[in-house]
């Protein structure tokens, strides 16, 4: 968010254009700089559009997110104080989307990976987050428990790729009881871009048509295990060439092939080990989701 004020007007009113600051006046919370707008010299300040950042106040309605802060301007210093500091609220409105909803969550459950094309030109970010509603606008928090029998909505998006050229496509996803995608008890959730019929109810809501992919998973657990890991292979495909076929690429994060996200199991639910490691359909999607995100750019 950016707010700009005319330096000349502030000087004429007896205010110091170098004194602009937000609710939190610490060094890390104030980024001011000169700017020319419409041939006028302006003093500008930026604020990060995120929940909890330097005194931001966040509200929302059914379709928008509103992020507000207060800008303060001190009078020119002198032997006499003849006026009070100025203060006024600044507010920016954003459409409530899969992406912007993460900005109003203090600790959303998400996984991020940076993807680079095979020719090494450019780096794209893909984020996978867990949501608890079909609109993909209510992120699950890291300390939030998942109720028995609830649905979990996995939203994946890239915010810095060109949506007129590329689409995000989930090639495959599988679930395992351990942090090992080669686990012998793995259950396929998505195969070749479509829902797999492997004992777990999965719906591919949107895939390969835009920079967002949406997957709904009915809650389940592996018998004897209190957690579930999910691994996904994704890519950015060229819309001109179509988004069919499997294209597995590589990550720009050379030290990590994926990032983990964790869901807490509902308090009081106990899975006793019976020696069986098969998936119990429609039970509980429990503690962990781990996204391995890869792509190949054409």
């Amino acid at each position: 968010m950016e707010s700009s004020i005319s330096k000349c007007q502030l000087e004429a009113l007896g205010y110091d254009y170098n004194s602009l600051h937000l609710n939190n006046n610490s060094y890390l919370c104030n980024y001011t700089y000169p700017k020319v707008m419409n041939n006028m010299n302006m003093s500008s300040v930026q604020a990060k559009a995120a929940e909890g950042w330097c005194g931001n106040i966040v509200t929302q309605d059914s379709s928008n997110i509103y992020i507000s802060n207060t800008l303060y301007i001190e009078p020119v210093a002198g032997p006499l104080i003849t006026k009070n500091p100025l203060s006024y609220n600044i507010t920016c409105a954003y459409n409530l989307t899969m992406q912007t909803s993460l900005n109003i969550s203090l600790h959303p459950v998400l996984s991020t990976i940076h993807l680079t094309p095979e020719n090494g030109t450019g780096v794209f970010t893909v984020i996978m987050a867990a949501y608890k509603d079909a609109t993909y606008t209510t992120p699950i928090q890291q300390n939030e428990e998942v109720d028995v029998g609830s649905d979990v909505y996995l939203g994946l998006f890239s915010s810095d790729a060109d949506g007129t050229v590329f689409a995000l496509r989930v090639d495959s996803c599988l679930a395992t009881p351990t942090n090992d995608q080669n686990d012998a008890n793995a259950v396929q959730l998505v195969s070749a871009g479509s829902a797999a019929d492997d004992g777990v109810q999965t719906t591919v809501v949107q895939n390969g048509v835009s920079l967002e992919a949406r997957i709904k998973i009915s809650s389940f657990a592996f018998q004897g295990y209190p957690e579930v890991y999910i691994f996904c292979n994704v890519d950015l495909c060229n819309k001109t060439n179509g988004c069919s076929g499997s294209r597995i690429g590589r990550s720009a994060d050379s030290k990590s092939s994926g990032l983990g996200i964790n869901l807490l199991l509902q308090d009081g639910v106990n899975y006793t080990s019976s020696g069986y490691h098969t998936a119990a359909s429609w039970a509980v999607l429990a503690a962990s989701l781990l996204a391995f995100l890869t792509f190949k750019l054409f």
Side-chain angles (χ1 to χ4, degrees), residues 120-293:
T121 302
V123 175
F124 301 96
T125 301
V126 173
I127 294 176
M128 177 181 178
Y131 302 84
K132 57 184 177 182
D133 63 332
T135 63
Y136 295 78
T137 57
T138 308
I140 297 175
Q141 304 298 307
Q142 292 178 10
N143 60 350
E144 187 174 356
E145 296 176 343
V146 177
D147 293 334
V148 174
S150 63
D151 292 325
V152 170
Y153 300 84
L154 300 180
L156 301 94
F157 63 87
S158 177
S159 59
D160 48 11
D162 187 347
T164 63
V165 178
F166 301 108
L168 180 65
R169 181 178 184 273
V170 180
D171 285 322
S172 63
C173 291
L174 56 85
T176 68
T178 63
N179 188 8
D180 179 9
Q181 59 183 325
N182 297 314
D183 193 295
N185 298 304
V187 174
Q188 199 74 33
L189 303 176
V190 177
S191 178
S194 300
D197 184 13
D198 198 16
V200 175
Q201 185 177 7
T202 303
T203 303
V204 178
V205 180
Q206 178 177 310
N207 195 18
V209 296
S210 70
L211 292 178
E212 290 185 354
R214 304 184 179 206
I215 300 172
K216 172 187 173 184
I217 302 174
S218 293
S219 300
F220 71 95
F222 288 91
Q223 189 169 344
Y225 288 85
E227 58 187 1
V228 169
Y229 291 86
I230 294 179
F231 301 87
C232 292
N233 288 324
V234 306
D235 66 68
L236 288 172
C237 56
N238 194 308
K239 290 183 175 180
T240 302
N241 299 329
C243 292
S244 61
S246 178
R247 291 170 296 276
I248 299 176
R250 61 189 175 87
S251 167
D253 294 327
S254 59
K255 295 183 179 180
S256 175
S257 57
L259 299 174
I261 54 178
N262 183 279
L263 293 177
L264 297 179
L265 183 63
Q266 175 185 299
D267 187 30
V269 175
N270 181 31
Y271 294 99
T272 59
S273 177
S274 61
Y276 295 97
H277 298 165
T278 56
S281 302
W282 338 128
V284 177
L285 178 64
S288 295
L289 295 173
L290 184 65
F292 273 33
L293 306 175

